[in-house]
Amino acid sequence: MQAAARQRPVGELLREWRDRRRISQLDLAISADISTRHLSFVETGRSQPSRDMVLRLGEHLDVPLRERNRLLLAAGYAPAYTENALGDPEMSAVREAVRQLLASHEPYPAAVVDRSWNLVDANAAVGLFVAGIPPELTTNVLRATLHPGGMAPHIRNLGEWRAHLLGRLRRQVGQTADAGLADLLAELRGYPCDQPVPEVEVPGPGDIFVPLKFRHEGTDLTFFSTVATFGTPLDVTVAELVIESFFPADPATAAYLRERAARVE
């Protein structure tokens, strides 16, 4: 009974998502092909939306799949999107695709994280980043990167890279309204940093990306990264997986990584 009492009405949740996306009732009604009056009734609780209506509004508000399931539950319907663990048999194709992507990126680092930035998988080259870091830090990529006991002392442009990561996380919090991510953002902001942290990423002359400048065993390396997601996810877990791949930003870094991989082999 207490859990039911705490359940927020679906109309209230939809209005909150619309406000978060800064979309007017009129604009949402037009894009979802419903009347403004009906949308107003749904948001105020005067009208109960159908299952299809909840899904349609969730789609047009770009609500994450996890939160679309919560909208359906609030409206009294069963979730529409599965949430399989990555180790489940149904996820074998996903696991194989991830492993292929990671392996093909060698000798350059690549890692897979979930929605909370917890490390799901990585290739061998990621060992360059995490060598010597306490195991309790390596479970979460952002903690491993910005904690003073993690990668932070080896990042030559820590202020710049910290601003980049915190900006990504801040945008993710805004997009998902995830309380756990908001707590993580507050925690990371509390970590010390002995370099200026820019409020806004403004490129300098000739800059085309924010680099990661990392010192490994006395050698300065420079990387840029790309982020990939699954293009047509219908499962919550798949939708939330992110593959981050690091590339050498200069010939010296590329040569170092190739030589290091050859020594390891």
Side-chain angles (χ1 to χ4, degrees):
M1 295 292 292
Q2 291 180 348
R6 290 195 298 269
Q7 176 65 65
R8 296 173 63 193
V10 64
E12 181 180 322
L13 295 175
L14 285 167
R15 183 172 64 252
E16 187 174 274
W17 278 107
R18 182 175 60 75
D19 290 342
R20 185 174 291 115
R21 298 294 187 249
R22 298 183 180 181
I23 299 175
S24 69
Q25 273 192 349
L26 176 60
D27 287 342
L28 178 58
I30 291 172
S31 65
D33 195 24
I34 62 174
S35 71
T36 306
R37 182 171 181 268
H38 183 42
L39 177 58
S40 176
F41 279 15
V42 168
E43 290 188 350
T44 58
R46 295 177 64 184
S47 178
Q48 176 67 14
S50 67
R51 183 176 184 273
D52 287 345
M53 178 62 68
V54 174
L55 291 172
R56 189 191 313 175
L57 292 173
E59 172 72 19
H60 285 275
L61 288 169
D62 195 25
V63 176
L65 300 190
R66 179 181 298 275
E67 302 305 322
R68 294 185 203 185
N69 278 345
R70 290 177 180 168
L71 289 174
L72 287 167
L73 288 170
Y77 305 111
Y81 303 98
T82 59
E83 186 177 356
N84 292 297
L86 199 56
D88 289 350
E90 296 87 347
M91 302 286 273
S92 60
V94 174
R95 292 194 304 272
E96 180 61 24
V98 166
R99 290 309 307 164
Q100 287 183 12
L101 284 168
L102 293 176
S104 66
H105 197 63
E106 295 279 6
Y108 309 142
V112 184
V113 299
D114 64 14
R115 73 191 186 103
S116 300
W117 294 76
N118 294 317
L119 184 64
V120 174
D121 204 349
N123 64 11
V126 166
L128 174 145
F129 290 146
V130 300
I133 295 180
E136 61 270 20
L137 287 181
T138 60
T139 57
N140 184 275
V141 169
L142 291 184
R143 288 193 183 97
T145 304
L146 299 179
H147 193 281
M151 289 172 55
H154 307 284
I155 299 177
R156 310 294 283 177
N157 61 331
L158 179 60
E160 185 180 37
W161 192 248
R162 172 190 170 101
H164 166 67
L165 291 182
L166 293 185
R168 283 175 60 180
L169 181 56
R170 185 176 62 251
R171 290 188 290 273
Q172 187 181 357
V173 170
Q175 291 165 357
T176 65
D178 188 300
L181 290 176
D183 290 342
L184 179 60
L185 178 60
E187 175 190 334
L188 298 174
R189 281 173 168 164
Y191 290 174
C193 181
D194 59 1
Q195 298 180 16
V197 181
E199 290 291 329
V200 180
E201 294 174 358
V202 179
D207 288 347
I208 57 174
F209 50 74
V210 178
L212 169 61
K213 299 178 180 179
F214 187 76
R215 190 167 184 83
H216 180 258
E217 297 180 351
T219 300
D220 287 338
L221 307 172
T222 305
F223 299 88
F224 69 91
S225 69
T226 63
V227 173
T229 58
F230 283 84
T232 54
L234 293 176
D235 178 273
V236 173
T237 300
V238 177
E240 294 173 345
L241 290 178
V242 174
I243 304 167
E244 183 142 15
S245 304
F246 290 84
F247 294 84
D250 54 53
T253 299
Y256 182 90
L257 294 173
R258 290 194 296 268
E259 292 167 5
R260 179 178 179 272
R263 290 196 306 269
V264 172
E265 291 175 0

